[in-house]
Every structure is written in C-alpha cells, then in structure tokens.
C-alpha cells in the first residue's frame, strides 16, 4: 500500500522540534508546517519514560516527519500543545499505510 494517502492529510499543524534546554528554558528548532490528519480524541498513552499520560489528540503524518518528545505543536485552531512521543509506523511492505503517529498532550 505504501505511504498514507495525501488526500487524508486535510489538516495542518506547526511543529517546532525540541532541541534541549537553554539558560532561559526549552530550545526549539524553526517552525515547520506539516500536513496531517488530526484526531482530537482523548486517550491514555505511555510516554517514552513509561508513565501513563493523557493524550488529547493524535496527528497522523507522512513518513519522515520528526517530532521528538517535548516538541511544541500549534494546531490550526491556535491551540499550543506538546509532543508526548512520535511513532514511526512502517509496514515493511505489508498492505498498511506507512505514517508517523504524533501523540499530543
């Protein structure tokens, strides 16, 4: 099947990749516009540290998008949130759409 179909990517988010801490607080990379399908549904997920946390929405994007944990994301509605984790979903040739799942606080 290959990549997630472009016609599904009807939303746009702005991702500022987390780069670490500075003397004034978190340091982010430049903002990048990312096409996605944004599912605004609350659910429990596991953070990279293993804690159970609440995700308020999930963005599904094309393969290759990077949104490391703690990155800042702004949705089209103006809501600013933080990445819990991003998961590369690669079917390795199976008939599933390859994509990146970005879980948001």
């Amino acid at each position: 099947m290959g990549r997630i179909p472009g016609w599904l990517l009807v939303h746009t988010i702005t991702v500022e990749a987390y780069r670490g801490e500075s003397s004034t607080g978190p340091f982010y990379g430049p903002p990048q516009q990312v096409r996605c399908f944004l599912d605004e549904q609350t659910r429990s997920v596991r953070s990279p540290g293993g804690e159970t946390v609440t995700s308020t929405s999930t963005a599904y994007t094309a393969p290759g998008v990077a949104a490391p944990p703690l990155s800042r994301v702004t949705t089209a509605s103006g809501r600013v949130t933080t990445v819990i984790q991003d998961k590369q979903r690669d079917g390795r040739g199976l008939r599933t759409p390859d994509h990146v799942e970005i879980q948001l606080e």
Side-chain angles (χ1 to χ4, degrees), residues 11-16 32-34 36-43 54-60 71-84 102-105:
H11 303 107
T12 301
I13 57 174
T14 302
V15 177
E16 297 170 82
Q32 295 184 322
Q33 298 288 314
V34 176
C36 68
F37 178 82
L38 186 62
D39 179 14
E40 297 191 79
Q41 171 182 273
T42 303
R43 63 186 175 132
T54 301
S55 171
T56 59
S57 53
T58 303
Y60 300 92
S71 293
R72 184 166 46 201
V73 171
T74 305
T75 66
S77 68
R79 183 171 70 93
V80 178
T81 186
T82 304
V83 173
I84 297 169
I102 305 171
Q103 298 168 343
L104 303 169
E105 284 186 353

Side-chain angles (χ1 to χ4, degrees), residues 1-54:
M1 179 166 212
R3 298 167 54 103
I4 189 170
W7 59 267
L8 285 176
L9 307 178
V10 296
H11 303 107
T12 301
I13 57 174
T14 302
V15 177
E16 297 170 82
Y18 178 74
R19 300 275 172 90
E21 293 292 323
S22 70
S23 60
T24 58
F27 176 67
Y28 301 99
Q32 295 184 322
Q33 298 288 314
V34 176
R35 289 181 58 212
C36 68
F37 178 82
L38 186 62
D39 179 14
E40 297 191 79
Q41 171 182 273
T42 303
R43 63 186 175 132
S44 294
V45 298
R46 292 236 185 246
S47 73
E51 303 89 12
T52 300
V53 295
T54 301

